[in-house]
Amino acid sequence: LFEIVPKMNIKKTMKIVTVGFLLLLLGVSCVKGVDFDQAEDVSVQPIYELDFVYSRIRPINFNNGISNEFIPTLRDTLRDELFSGEITDKLLAVDLFVSFENSVNRSFGTNLQFLDANNVVLRNIFVNAAAGTPSNPVTTTHTIALTRVELNTLVLATKLVTAVTMSNGATDLDGILHLKSKAIYYTSLLDE
Amino acid sequence: LNLGVKGIRAFDIFADDGRDINVKIREQLEGMDKRDFYTFTQQLELLNFGWRNEKKKLYFSGGLYEELDFIAYFPKDFATFTLIGNEDPLGKELDISQLKSTAALLTVFHFGMQKKMNKQLTVGGRLKIYSELASYRAIDNSGKFITEQLEDGNNVYTHTLESVNINIQTSGYAAINTLNVAGGENVSKDIQSELTSRALLGGNLGMGIDFGLTYQFEDNWVVTGSVTDLGFITHSKDVETYQVRGTYEFEGLETPTKNDPIRLDTFLEDLESRIAQDTITRSYTTFRSAKLQGSLRKSFHRITNSSGCDCWWQNDDEEQYAGAYGVQVFSQFRPRGPQFAASAFIYRRIFSNLRVKATYTLDSFSFHNVGLLLSTNISVFNFYIAGDNLIDYANLAKARSASLQFGFNLIF
């Protein structure tokens, strides 16, 4: 068996073995049935839902706290972090979903105001809640679509003012106004 | 060089079938799970030498090789959250423990000894010193991010970061990053110099052993077993562990709570106060990813020399048989449990200087893995080349793994 093959020189044999093996691999190897150009069609457009604002307001909250007098509007101001940060550039649109469950026998109006650093109102969203009763609460829902163009303005917002106004109010009424809301962010992570 | 992907193939996504690629991605995403993984292992033999003491029937070996090892398990919940969002029910719960990944770049100095105890038994051991250039390890993570609708909740959803505990251990990263950030004309040279120093026993050091035995229980039957990389590395230089811990529940911002024109508190500050983020420089120890190997081999076609003498016993080192077949098993410890592979093989010495070994392997990636090894011995040279998954070379897009090894030895 040792004598079957005449002595070969090292370089030649190594070359034959390597080339032979690689040719074997290359000869049978290929990539077929695929189209890598499809990578250009990949879109990553996740939709994220995140709670926005909420409140549980009773008529007694419309007490001025000092002279026990009725004040028609409750208002406070939050730092706006809704449309800030890196995600802003990736937003295609945002839907604000607002829901009221009202068991107070009065209607309510709510203003959501986005203010810039100079307290200029960039966008005011008004939503109302129809009157209900303690035994028969009424649900009112609103969906506010914010387009990409509007979002370009809203990214400048630094404050969010929420103002809830009770019509023909009184502080001794029964019931509660339950405000729920969420923001639905439509994003596109691969687009510039 | 080994590259493996369990759970998905290029063909599954890029098949030219006229279907929307985004639909295919989503289908594949739903079909994958957290046990799917990606691996990449590369070794470069820098120096390997050995010599024999005939009198004591001892064989000594030593050398140095470089190794890069990476594994990442598929974090399905995070992929879903990124690709689909949390509007879909699939994205409403993120299991943070799915974040499991490690990578290490190191050099290994080794010295070993093999002794033929008797005609049947040969044992060997090898001592290893590890010098690690850089590594990260993120395997001890836990907690969840849950988006749920509660009937009595204050808002539409309740978003909860529940018992979050994220630990990402790094070594060898901070100093390189500092050099890189600092920039300057010599930044590449400085980084190269730092890495070279670490490669030559200046990195994070560790120690390990390999152990193996060969038992020839009949003339042409041999069983072998070995354990390799049973060791550890102590990380004390250039260590940074990033930790994130805490629980936080978010239901949106309550407003208005009272008639207060300026109430600029913020949920981001609240979040940061409840979810602590720390960078820790305490040293830590990691264990190497040990491997177990075993084989059972039956040899055939006994070789006699040209004079017809069946005199293999005159020199223990000469191959006694021209062929062999058998089975071999392999297991490697990984963060989510061991990986297994089992192969049937046939080996044949074709000419005096050419050997061929063919294997059929069942492993984590496929059940039809055919491999081939060619080895040639000429004079003092031994040259070898081996490849795996040859069937998949017919269409690499359908391959789940690929492996290629080649090298040469000088034998005196």
Side-chain angles (χ1 to χ4, degrees):
Chain A
L1 188 63
F2 288 102
E3 303 303 325
I4 290 175
V5 178
K7 290 235 172 189
M8 302 163 77
N9 72 54
I10 296 163
K11 204 172 170 184
K12 190 177 174 188
T13 306
M14 284 173 62
K15 197 180 285 182
I16 290 170
V17 171
T18 310
V19 172
F21 192 86
L22 292 176
L23 280 178
L24 177 70
L25 292 184
L26 291 173
V28 297
S29 70
C30 66
V31 176
K32 57 190 176 187
V34 292
D35 174 15
F36 290 111
D37 289 341
Q38 291 178 81
E40 292 172 10
D41 301 327
V42 173
S43 66
V44 179
Q45 298 189 335
I47 301 170
Y48 298 106
E49 297 195 344
L50 192 66
D51 281 336
F52 183 33
V53 294
Y54 74 90
S55 63
R56 291 177 188 269
I57 299 172
R58 291 180 171 79
I60 191 69
N61 296 124
F62 287 85
N63 186 318
N64 73 356
I66 301 169
S67 55
N68 212 23
E69 290 177 0
F70 173 77
I71 50 168
T73 300
L74 282 180
R75 182 196 314 268
D76 71 6
T77 307
L78 300 176
R79 187 173 298 162
D80 177 46
E81 291 159 329
L82 247 192
F83 307 112
S84 59
E86 291 179 8
I87 191 71
T88 307
D89 296 336
K90 307 294 181 187
L91 287 177
L92 298 173
V94 173
D95 283 348
L96 282 179
F97 172 83
V98 182
S99 162
F100 294 99
E101 188 181 84
N102 187 9
S103 58
V104 182
N105 193 12
R106 293 289 187 276
S107 62
F108 292 84
T110 298
N111 284 286
L112 299 169
Q113 293 182 323
F114 295 89
L115 275 57
D116 68 11
N118 298 316
N119 292 328
V120 174
V121 178
L122 301 171
R123 173 74 192 256
N124 180 54
I125 295 169
F126 176 78
V127 282
N128 70 300
T133 64
S135 59
N136 188 23
V138 169
T139 299
T140 312
T141 62
H142 304 269
T143 301
I144 302 98
L146 301 173
T147 63
R148 178 66 243 182
V149 175
E150 290 173 291
L151 292 171
N152 288 340
T153 305
L154 289 183
V155 293
L156 303 173
T158 59
K159 295 172 197 163
L160 173 67
V161 175
T162 313
V164 178
T165 302
M166 181 161 63
S167 303
N168 303 316
T171 58
D172 57 351
L173 294 169
D174 289 333
I176 187 168
L177 175 71
H178 189 179
L179 160 65
K180 293 181 177 182
S181 66
K182 66 177 178 180
I184 306 169
Y185 297 84
Y186 299 90
T187 65
S188 183
L189 301 186
L190 292 184
D191 293 344
E192 290 298 320
Chain B
L1 184 68
N2 284 291
L3 179 67
V5 180
K6 182 177 181 291
I8 196 167
R9 305 171 301 175
F11 189 82
D12 298 326
I13 300 295
F14 293 103
D16 191 10
D17 54 7
R19 299 175 65 217
D20 184 347
I21 188 171
N22 295 297
V23 173
K24 289 185 279 188
I25 289 173
R26 182 157 180 160
E27 284 174 359
Q28 290 304 315
L29 177 65
E30 289 174 9
M32 293 177 75
D33 70 34
K34 64 183 182 182
R35 284 175 292 277
D36 292 328
F37 57 84
Y38 312 89
T39 60
F40 177 80
T41 305
Q42 171 266 328
Q43 284 187 347
L44 180 62
E45 201 86 49
L46 298 169
L47 178 67
N48 201 346
F49 56 87
W51 71 94
R52 185 186 312 279
N53 183 324
E54 291 287 355
K55 201 173 178 182
K56 296 183 178 175
K57 291 191 179 298
L58 282 173
Y59 178 75
F60 297 95
S61 67
L64 163 67
Y65 66 88
E66 168 270 337
E67 179 179 306
L68 172 63
D69 186 44
F70 162 80
I71 184 167
Y73 288 88
F74 181 63
K76 180 171 180 172
D77 290 352
F78 286 84
T80 306
F81 191 78
T82 304
L83 288 172
I84 298 174
N86 71 342
E87 184 221 32
D88 189 286
L90 284 172
K92 297 245 187 270
E93 184 171 317
L94 268 81
D95 180 358
I96 293 169
S97 73
Q98 289 184 1
L99 292 174
K100 279 192 194 303
S101 177
T102 68
L105 175 65
L106 65 158
T107 51
V108 183
F109 297 79
H110 57 87
F111 181 78
M113 191 171 69
Q114 182 179 311
K115 180 170 176 60
K116 192 168 178 71
M117 309 300 287
N118 52 47
K119 188 181 169 185
Q120 293 178 306
L121 180 64
T122 303
V123 296
R126 190 157 73 156
L127 181 69
K128 287 178 167 174
I129 303 293
Y130 305 112
S131 184
E132 193 178 78
L133 285 74
S135 72
Y136 80 86
R137 186 177 174 87
I139 61 169
D140 297 320
N141 303 312
S142 60
K144 287 182 176 177
F145 174 64
I146 307 166
T147 299
E148 56 192 340
Q149 279 183 294
L150 302 177
E151 273 191 23
D152 58 346
N154 284 319
N155 212 338
V156 180
Y157 293 120
T158 301
H159 309 281
T160 309
L161 280 166
E162 184 182 283
S163 305
V164 171
N165 187 356
I166 298 173
N167 296 279
I168 302 172
Q169 297 170 313
T170 72
S171 69
Y173 164 73
I176 298 294
N177 188 45
T178 303
L179 284 172
N180 199 34
V181 170
E185 284 181 11
N186 297 322
V187 61
S188 298
K189 199 175 172 184
D190 292 345
I191 291 174
Q192 196 176 350
S193 168
E194 174 68 22
L195 291 177
T196 304
S197 162
R198 291 178 188 179
L200 300 173
L201 298 175
N204 283 299
L205 298 177
M207 195 159 60
I209 57 164
D210 296 349
F211 175 79
L213 58 85
T214 300
Y215 186 72
Q216 187 173 354
F217 58 95
E218 281 189 26
D219 180 44
N220 59 344
W221 279 95
V222 174
V223 63
T224 69
S226 68
V227 55
T228 55
D229 279 323
L230 197 61
F232 63 91
I233 294 175
T234 300
H235 305 260
S236 57
K237 300 173 186 171
D238 198 20
V239 171
E240 282 194 349
T241 298
Y242 309 112
Q243 278 188 348
V244 179
R245 291 180 181 183
T247 293
Y248 182 65
E249 191 176 285
F250 179 67
E251 292 184 298
L253 303 166
E254 186 175 10
T255 180
T257 54
K258 54 183 178 177
N259 196 25
D260 182 355
I262 301 175
R263 186 169 70 88
L264 291 177
D265 55 342
T266 158
F267 90 93
L268 285 181
E269 287 173 5
D270 195 23
L271 174 70
E272 285 168 8
S273 69
R274 290 169 191 271
I275 303 291
Q277 300 175 49
D278 294 307
T279 300
I280 296 166
T281 54
R282 193 170 53 231
S283 60
Y284 61 92
T285 300
T286 57
F287 291 97
R288 295 280 294 147
S289 182
K291 298 137 195 134
L292 298 172
Q293 290 109 348
S295 74
L296 177 66
R297 185 179 78 223
K298 184 182 183 185
S299 303
F300 61 88
H301 196 142
R302 175 169 295 216
I303 298 170
T304 58
N305 66 12
S306 55
S307 67
C309 169
D310 185 7
C311 45
W312 55 268
W313 61 88
Q314 290 178 358
N315 187 342
D316 288 342
D317 307 316
E318 285 294 322
E319 274 191 291
Q320 303 163 22
Y321 293 92
Y325 58 84
V327 292
Q328 57 197 33
V329 290
F330 169 82
S331 178
Q332 181 172 14
F333 291 91
R334 289 298 201 181
R336 221 180 254 290
Q339 291 171 7
F340 296 100
S343 304
F345 69 89
I346 183 161
Y347 161 86
R348 193 75 169 94
R349 182 169 160 177
I350 296 178
F351 306 124
S352 62
N353 56 3
L354 182 64
R355 294 156 175 80
V356 178
K357 183 178 179 181
T359 57
Y360 188 94
T361 302
L362 310 176
D363 60 19
S364 306
F365 306 108
S366 83
F367 291 160
H368 53 77
N369 178 351
V370 174
L372 190 65
L373 177 146
L374 300 179
S375 169
T376 179
N377 270 354
I378 301 161
S379 183
V380 295
F381 275 95
N382 166 255
F383 176 76
Y384 66 91
I385 185 164
D388 251 352
N389 271 296
L390 300 184
I391 290 176
D392 285 334
Y393 276 78
N395 189 355
L396 285 171
K398 291 184 177 179
R400 292 184 192 277
S401 68
S403 169
L404 187 65
Q405 294 177 45
F406 59 90
F408 69 89
N409 300 302
L410 279 171
I411 305 168
F412 298 103

